[in-house]
Amino acid sequence: MASPTVVPTVGAPARGGALKRNLGLWAIVGLGLGYMTPTVVFDTFGIVSDETNGAVPSAYLVALVIMLLTAISYGKMVRVYPAAGSAYTYVRESIHPNAGFMVGWASLLDYLLLPMVNALIIRLYLEQVFPALPSWVTVVVYTVFVTTVICLSMRGTSNLNMVLLVGAVLAMVAFVVFAVIELAEGAGAGTVVSAEPFVHDGVTMSALLTGATVVCFSFIGFDAVTMYAEEAKSIRIMPRAIMLTVLLGGLIFLVASYSAQLRFPTNAPFGEFTDDPLPQIGLLVGGRVFQAVLVSAGFVAALASGLASHASVARMLMVMGRNNVLPKRVFGYVHPKTRTPVFNVIVVGAVTLLAMTFSLDTISSYINFGALVAFTFVNATVIVHFAWRQGRRRTPADVWRFIVLPGVAMVLTGVLWSQLHADALIAGGVWAAIGFAYLLVITKGFRVAPKGFDENQPVTGVNKQLTDAEL
C-alpha cells in the first residue's frame, strides 16, 4: 500500500534555489515509516498465513534480513548520487543507460499499480463493514475523488505522513495490548510466549520464501527516504536513515505479526475475508469500536498513499513525455489552468478502476515483480561501481563490503523474485518484453542512449511562468 516515492516537489529545484537542509535523522526515518504504512501487515496477514501454514513472523524475518542487506546497498549508492534517489538512476549511471531504462520500465509497473492497490484495500475494508454496498461503487467513488483532487492540484501528502504514522502505530499498540490480554485469558494459542509463530511442523523453507515474497510488499517505500538526500542536514545521515527505516519497520511488522499469529493460529476466524482480514482482526480483538478505529487508520493511510502514488506516477509519465520517452504531445501536456498533467492523471485513474476485479494477492505479486527487479539491480550497482569501476576489491574489508554483502543480497532478492506467482512472472515478462521492444525503437536499435525519466528529476519544457515546484 505504501507509495514508493515522495510527492512531486521533493528532490527538484524549488523557487529561489536549492532545497533547504533542515531534515534530521529521525524526521527522515519518520517519513520513511509513514510511506511503508505499518498497518499493511494486517492487510496481507491472511494471505501470508495461508502461504506459510501459520508462520507469518518467519516470513517477515526472512524478508527483513534481505531488505536490510538491500538497504545497505541503497545507503552506499545514495552517497554516490545524492541528488537522485531511484534504482533507475543508479543502474543507468553505474551499469548502462539501456539497463537503467529496463529497470525504470519495471518500476513503472509498480507506479501504475500502486494507486490501484490502495483502491483495492479500501474496497476490501468496505465490503466487510458495509456488505450491502456494491464493490464497484466503492472503487468508482474513490477513483473519481482521487483523480479529481490530483487533476486540480499536484500537491502531495508528505506533511500528513507523520500524523498518519503516529495514529497507525498507536492503533497497532492497542492491538498488541488487546491480543496479549486475550492470549493470557486462553484465546488463540493461549500463551504470550511461543516459538510456534516462527517454526512448527508443516513449515517449509519453500513456503517461507513464498511468504517472504508477499511480505516484501510491506517494505515497499523504504527507499523513498533517498528522495530526501538534498534536504537532509548532512548527506552522511542518509545510510543510517535508510537502515533505521527498514529495521524499525521490520520490528513493527514482526511484533504485530507475532501477536496476530498467536491470537489467530489459523485463518478460520476470518471466514471468507482472508484476502484482507484487517477489519475482522479489529472486530475479533476489540469489538466494534476498535474495528472502527483500526479500519479508520487503514482507510486514511490508504487514501493518503493513494493520493501520493497517483500524483507520482502522473508526474513520472509527464517527465517521460517532456523528454520524448513517450509521445510529448500527449504525455507532456500540462493543463494551462490547473497546471497539472490532466491526461496522465486520468490514465492512472482508468488503471485504478481495475481494482473492481483484482485480488490483493495478485496485485501485490505484480507490484513485487518490479520492486524485486529494482532491488536486485541496486545491489548489483554496488559491485559494479565500487568493486569494478573503482577497483575496491583488493582488501578483505573491501571484498566483504562491495562484493560479498551486495552479492548475497542480489542472490536473495533474485530468489524471492523467482518465488513470485506464475501469473505475476508471466505478466511481468510481457511487460518487460514490451519495454525491450520500445527501447529498441527509441534508441534506434541501440545506436543512441535512451532519454532519462527519473520521476524526481526537474521537468523541462513547461510554460515559462511555471516552476517545477508548482507542479
Side-chain angles (χ1 to χ4, degrees), residues 48 50-53 55 59 202-213 419:
V48 182
D50 184 57
E51 293 280 2
T52 61
N53 192 26
V203 177
T204 65
M205 180 54 67
S206 175
L208 289 181
L209 287 174
T210 301
T213 301
Q419 296 297 310

Side-chain angles (χ1 to χ4, degrees), residues 206-219:
S206 175
L208 289 181
L209 287 174
T210 301
T213 301
V214 176
V215 301
C216 277
F217 177 69
S218 303
F219 289 90

Side-chain angles (χ1 to χ4, degrees), residues 379-418:
N379 289 311
T381 62
V382 173
I383 299 173
V384 173
H385 179 83
F386 292 98
W388 179 256
R389 292 192 173 183
Q390 293 190 350
R392 300 180 68 174
R393 54 183 186 273
R394 294 178 177 84
T395 67
D398 281 349
V399 170
W400 174 255
R401 294 171 59 200
F402 304 122
I403 297 178
V404 175
L405 283 180
V408 170
M410 184 171 62
V411 170
L412 291 176
T413 51
V415 169
L416 290 187
W417 180 86
S418 70

Side-chain angles (χ1 to χ4, degrees), residues 155-188:
R155 298 292 183 186
T157 56
S158 59
N159 292 335
L160 196 59
N161 272 281
M162 271 297 193
V163 176
L164 293 175
L165 174 62
V166 172
V169 171
L170 288 176
M172 297 178 78
V173 169
F175 161 76
V176 172
V177 171
F178 282 133
V180 168
I181 293 173
E182 294 184 353
L183 287 168
E185 294 176 348

